[in-house]
């Protein structure tokens, strides 16, 4: 069970804690964060109001209110085997960042509804996220769906029907219940029979089969602690448990996950904040009798509520079946192991008392011995209880005593016949046990072979991991070289920009000089044109003078002709 982030009362948290379901103890881990090309830092942001859902051996973290705030919704993946966080580079129509939303999973698809964005606006939009392709898509629906809200609870029944209950709207706390059928994509308000929960938000829910367990929650004025159960098939609400006022279910922001074992359900609650943040762990054990519900803190659980001790395989295998915790304030330092150990001791104490009255002295079994057994007792439900090892010893001792006592009485034949029958039954049991022992030895051999194969696979995985680490290191070196090349390209770009600026300045200067020269040429043209006009005027005057000189010459010749005596030219 994985716990991440939350609010400590003074600051947001970014730590990762895990509840080991094999040892039932808290393990503090320092996971690695893979670097991402779209983030400048490799640190996981502290956040609260996020959602976490399981998927295979991974836990998917969606959204939440973080510091610093972001515009788009982020999706992170945590591998519980390698303990590595990685950012999923989402594509498509990415929703706005938000907190107080709900996320449910159907196969490899996440369904997101509602929440409150960074501006405090309540939302009622519906989106889906494909985990294989890391793609967001908006979902269009019909009908009058839930109003915008946050801090509600949601569940997905039969991977087909989405249920939404309660939450905070803009002005009030809600207690309405809506369902969305993914086959028709039509919202409808669920009509319930009988009593129903009061308006509440910040509650926790867990869908177990056809029963939806909703615990805690409340309005801004009053917190509720009771556990309500909604029967999906009958559309009916019932109250199943009312814990004391000191329970963490009365606090805000606690988390809850279900554990399954046969026909019993264990709800595990953790954290929360009322006046101070809590690190308590509480459990609610649901037995066959519907009235056997009671919340208890982990160290002080009523042992009568435990009629079984889940095997290691069942607890470990359940990690992929239940929804993980999605908020915490700090991690509890006590474990659930003491609770189950105490319950098992008192349970077997009562069982030993009844067997002592019937058969005599009975050997006791501790929870540690039960957890070490790798054989599930369900395989032998058709065998009498006397076939188990401690009870065989007790029964055989009692039978032998009765044979010796009865053989001394007067009715020896009947007792001998009875002894013969008992001996035959005993031999049959021994033969059956030998056969079962041979089968168990075969199973043990197969288990050893599986262990060897698993060790080989582990060695292969380790070698693959080393190769991947080497590749990662080489890729890191290549990334450093690329960074250096990019830095060189940036310097070259800066030099190119400076040269371009210089050329641009020269071009501007040349353009100004050309404009000046054009202006001078224009003035020169104007002066030449004026000079040409003056010359033309002078030429016309010269021509007139030549004409006048010609006329004067003619007059002079005429005058000389009239005088009759041509005047000799005067020789000097």
């Amino acid at each position: 069970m994985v716990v991440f982030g939350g609010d400590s009362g003074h600051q947001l948290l970014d730590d990762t804690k895990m509840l080991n379901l094999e040892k039932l103890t808290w393990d503090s881990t320092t996971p690695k964060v893979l670097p991402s090309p779209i983030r400048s830092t490799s640190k996981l942001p502290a956040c609260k109001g996020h959602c976490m859902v399981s998927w295979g051996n991974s836990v998917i973290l969606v959204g939440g209110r973080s510091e610093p705030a972001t515009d788009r919704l982020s999706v992170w993946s945590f591998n519980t085997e390698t303990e590595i966080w990685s950012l999923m580079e989402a594509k498509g129509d990415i929703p706005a960042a938000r907190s107080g939303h709900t996320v449910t999973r159907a196969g490899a698809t996440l369904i997101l509804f509602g929440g409150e964005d960074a501006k405090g606006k309540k939302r009622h939009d519906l989106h889906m996220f494909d985990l294989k392709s890391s793609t967001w898509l908006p979902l269009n629906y019909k009908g009058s769906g839930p109003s915008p809200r946050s801090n509600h609870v949601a569940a997905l029944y039969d991977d087909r029907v989405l249920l939404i209950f309660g939450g905070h709207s803009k002005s009030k706390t809600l207690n309405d219940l809506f369902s969305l059928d993914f086959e028709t994509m039509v919202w409808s308000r669920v009509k319930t029979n009988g009593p129903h929960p009061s308006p509440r938000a910040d509650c926790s829910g867990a869908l177990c089969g056809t029963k939806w367990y909703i615990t805690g929650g409340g309005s801004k004025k009053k917190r509720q602690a009771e556990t309500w159960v909604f029967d999906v098939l009958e559309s009916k609400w019932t109250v199943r448990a009312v814990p004391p006022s000191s329970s963490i279910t009365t606090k805000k922001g606690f988390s809850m996950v279900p554990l399954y074992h046969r026909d019993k359900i264990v709800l595990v609650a953790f954290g929360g904040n009322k006046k101070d943040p809590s690190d308590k762990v509480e459990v609610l054990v649901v037995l066959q009798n519907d009235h056997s519900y009671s919340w208890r803190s982990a160290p002080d659980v009523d042992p009568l509520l435990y009629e079984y001790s889940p095997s290691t395989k069942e607890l470990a295998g359940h990690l992929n079946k239940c929804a993980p915790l999605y908020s915490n304030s700090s991690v509890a330092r006590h474990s659930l192991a003491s609770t189950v150990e105490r319950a098992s001791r008192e349970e077997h104490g009562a069982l030993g008392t009844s067997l002592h009255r019937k058969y005599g002295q009975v050997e006791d079994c501790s929870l540690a011995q039960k957890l070490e057994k790798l054989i599930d007792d369900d395989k032998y439900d058709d065998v009498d209880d006397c076939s188990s090892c401690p009870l065989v010893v007790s029964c055989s001792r009692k039978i032998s005593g009765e044979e010796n006592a009865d053989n001394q009485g007067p009715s020896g034949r009947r007792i001998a016949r009875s002894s013969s029958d008992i001996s035959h039954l005993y031999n049959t049991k021994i033969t059956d046990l030998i056969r079962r022992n041979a089968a168990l030895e075969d199973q043990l051999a197969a288990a050893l072979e599986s262990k060897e194969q698993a060790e080989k696979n582990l060695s292969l995985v380790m070698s693959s991991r080393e190769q991947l680490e080497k590749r990662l290191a080489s890729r890191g070196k290549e990334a450093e070289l690329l960074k250096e090349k990019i830095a060189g390209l940036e310097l070259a770009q800066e030099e190119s920009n400076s040269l371009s600026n210089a050329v641009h300045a020269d071009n501007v200067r040349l353009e100004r000089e050309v404009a000046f020269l054009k202006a001078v040429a224009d003035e020169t043209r104007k002066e030449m044109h004026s000079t040409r006009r003056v010359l033309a005027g002078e030429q016309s005057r010269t021509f007139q003078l030549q004409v006048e000189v010609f006329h004067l010459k003619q007059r002079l010749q005429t005058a000389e002709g009239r005088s009759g005596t041509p005047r000799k030219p005067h020789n000097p």
Side-chain angles (χ1 to χ4, degrees):
M1 185 172 65
V2 181
V3 180
F4 173 78
D7 191 347
S8 67
H10 304 286
Q11 61 180 358
L12 298 183
L13 301 174
D14 60 354
D15 53 349
T16 303
K17 308 293 180 181
M18 290 193 294
L19 179 64
N20 190 311
L21 296 179
E22 292 182 352
K23 301 177 182 178
L24 295 179
T25 56
W26 284 104
D27 292 339
S28 179
T29 180
T30 306
K32 299 179 182 178
V33 180
L34 287 181
S36 173
I38 62 176
R39 287 182 61 88
S40 58
T41 177
S42 61
K43 187 178 180 182
L44 199 63
C47 64
K48 67 175 182 178
H50 47 282
C51 290
M52 294 176 69
V53 294
S54 62
W55 183 45
N57 61 352
S58 299
V59 175
I60 310 299
L61 185 152
V62 182
R65 181 176 301 174
S66 60
E67 294 178 355
T70 58
D71 296 332
R72 295 296 179 183
L73 199 70
S74 59
V75 181
W76 291 81
S77 174
F78 177 68
N79 191 307
T80 57
E81 295 180 353
T82 61
E83 297 183 359
I84 294 178
W85 282 101
S86 59
L87 179 65
M88 302 181 71
E89 300 180 10
K91 303 183 290 291
D93 191 357
I94 303 176
R98 65 192 65 196
S99 62
H101 52 287
T102 55
V103 174
T104 55
R105 182 176 65 85
T109 302
L110 301 182
I111 306 298
L112 179 145
F113 175 79
E116 180 179 325
D117 60 19
K119 298 180 181 180
K121 180 182 178 181
K122 307 291 184 181
R123 290 180 169 268
H124 63 157
D125 48 350
L126 191 66
H127 300 265
M128 65 170 287
F129 181 71
D130 183 68
L131 291 168
K132 295 182 179 179
S133 62
S134 299
T135 304
W136 282 104
L137 290 173
L139 292 179
N140 299 319
Y141 52 83
K142 303 176 183 178
S144 178
S147 59
R149 65 189 64 201
S150 64
N151 300 315
H152 51 281
V153 288
L156 188 63
Y157 174 69
D158 198 24
D159 285 352
R160 186 178 60 87
V161 179
L162 177 66
L163 299 172
I164 301 292
F165 170 75
H168 283 306
S169 67
K170 183 178 181 181
S171 58
K172 63 180 180 179
T173 306
L174 307 169
N175 67 337
D176 48 2
L177 178 62
F178 286 85
S179 67
L180 173 65
D181 191 330
F182 282 103
E183 292 184 355
T184 61
M185 292 303 295
V186 175
W187 278 107
S188 59
R189 184 162 183 171
V190 180
K191 297 180 180 180
T192 60
N193 302 320
H196 55 83
S198 59
R200 62 191 63 202
D202 296 305
C203 44
S204 292
L207 181 64
C208 304
T210 62
K211 301 293 194 300
W212 190 15
Y213 295 84
I214 296 179
T215 300
S219 60
K220 295 181 180 180
K221 297 181 180 180
K222 183 179 180 181
R223 302 290 302 175
Q224 308 292 340
E226 69 269 17
T227 298
W228 285 81
V229 180
F230 178 71
D231 192 310
V232 179
L233 299 180
E234 298 182 0
S235 298
K236 183 179 180 181
W237 288 100
T238 53
V239 179
R240 282 294 180 258
V242 181
S245 59
S246 60
S247 172
I248 64 174
T249 59
T250 62
K251 301 180 183 295
K252 181 180 179 181
F254 75 96
S255 301
M256 186 176 70
V257 295
L259 299 177
Y260 304 92
H261 180 72
R262 297 175 186 171
D263 58 344
K264 302 174 183 64
I265 301 168
V266 180
L267 302 180
V268 182
F270 170 74
N273 193 338
K274 197 170 186 179
K275 294 182 179 179
D276 297 315
S278 173
D279 61 356
K280 290 178 59 179
V281 176
E282 292 182 357
V283 295
L284 171 66
V285 181
V286 182
L287 304 181
Q288 277 186 330
N289 184 357
D290 288 343
H291 300 287
S292 298
Y293 293 73
S294 181
W295 279 102
R296 293 290 187 273
S297 298
D300 303 316
V301 175
D302 187 351
L304 296 179
L305 294 177
Y306 287 90
E307 294 184 355
Y308 65 97
S309 298
S311 66
T312 302
K313 291 184 177 179
E314 289 168 332
L315 290 175
H318 177 69
L319 180 61
N320 296 333
K321 296 181 181 179
C322 63
L325 291 172
Y326 49 83
S327 66
N328 81 304
S329 57
S330 61
V331 178
R333 300 302 176 187
H334 54 263
S335 71
L336 296 176
S338 59
T339 299
V340 183
E341 181 70 29
R342 176 184 170 189
S344 179
R345 284 200 303 268
E346 299 198 15
E347 172 193 352
H348 285 286
L351 179 62
T353 302
S354 61
L355 289 175
H356 177 76
R357 295 170 182 169
K358 185 174 182 181
Y359 298 110
Q361 184 66 30
V362 178
E363 298 180 5
D364 190 16
C365 295
S366 66
L367 177 63
Q369 293 172 338
K370 278 195 171 186
L371 292 179
E372 289 174 0
K373 290 173 61 178
L374 298 179
I375 305 169
D376 194 349
D377 293 339
D378 290 342
K379 297 178 181 178
Y380 309 110
D381 289 342
D382 58 337
V383 183
D384 189 9
D385 290 340
C386 296
S387 62
S388 61
C389 292
L391 298 184
V392 165
V393 175
S394 302
C395 291
S396 62
R397 288 178 180 175
K398 183 63 178 177
I399 290 169
S400 299
E402 290 180 354
E403 287 178 356
N404 294 334
D406 292 341
N407 283 334
Q408 297 175 1
S411 57
R413 294 181 180 179
R414 293 192 310 177
I415 292 180
R417 186 179 302 143
S418 176
S419 299
S420 176
D421 295 338
I422 294 174
S423 176
H424 177 72
L425 178 62
Y426 180 76
N427 291 332
T428 303
K429 293 289 184 180
I430 291 296
T431 304
D432 185 58
L433 287 175
I434 292 173
R435 179 177 58 80
R436 292 180 183 276
N437 186 41
L440 290 176
E441 288 179 353
D442 294 338
Q443 292 180 7
L444 179 60
L448 291 175
E449 292 179 359
S450 300
K451 181 181 178 182
E452 293 177 357
Q453 186 65 30
E455 290 177 351
K456 292 180 181 178
N457 294 336
L458 180 61
S459 63
L460 292 176
V461 169
M462 294 299 294
S463 62
S464 301
R465 179 180 178 181
E466 292 177 356
Q467 293 177 0
L468 288 175
E469 288 179 350
K470 291 180 181 179
R471 290 180 182 177
L472 183 62
S474 62
R475 293 296 173 84
K477 293 180 181 179
E478 293 177 358
E480 293 295 332
L481 293 175
L482 288 175
K483 288 182 180 179
E484 293 178 358
K485 291 181 180 180
I486 291 172
L489 290 174
E490 290 178 351
L491 291 175
Q493 183 68 29
E494 291 179 358
E495 293 178 357
S496 176
N497 292 335
S498 62
L499 291 174
S500 176
N501 293 333
V503 170
H504 179 69
D506 292 339
N507 289 335
V508 171
R509 180 175 56 80
L510 289 174
E511 288 177 355
R512 291 178 179 176
E513 291 180 355
V514 168
F516 176 73
L517 291 175
K518 285 182 178 180
V520 172
D522 291 338
E523 292 293 331
T524 304
R525 289 193 190 94
K526 291 179 180 179
E527 291 179 358
M528 289 178 64
H529 183 68
S530 176
T531 304
R532 286 175 180 173
R533 286 189 295 178
V534 172
L535 288 175
E538 294 294 330
Q539 286 179 354
S540 63
R541 289 178 61 187
T542 302
F543 180 74
Q544 290 178 359
L545 289 173
Q546 289 178 353
V547 171
E548 290 179 0
V549 169
F550 177 74
H551 287 303
L552 289 175
K553 285 181 178 182
Q554 285 182 349
R555 289 178 183 177
L556 181 61
Q557 289 177 0
T558 303
E560 288 178 355
R562 287 178 181 178
S563 61
T565 56
R567 185 179 293 181
K568 293 181 180 179
H570 177 74
N571 294 325

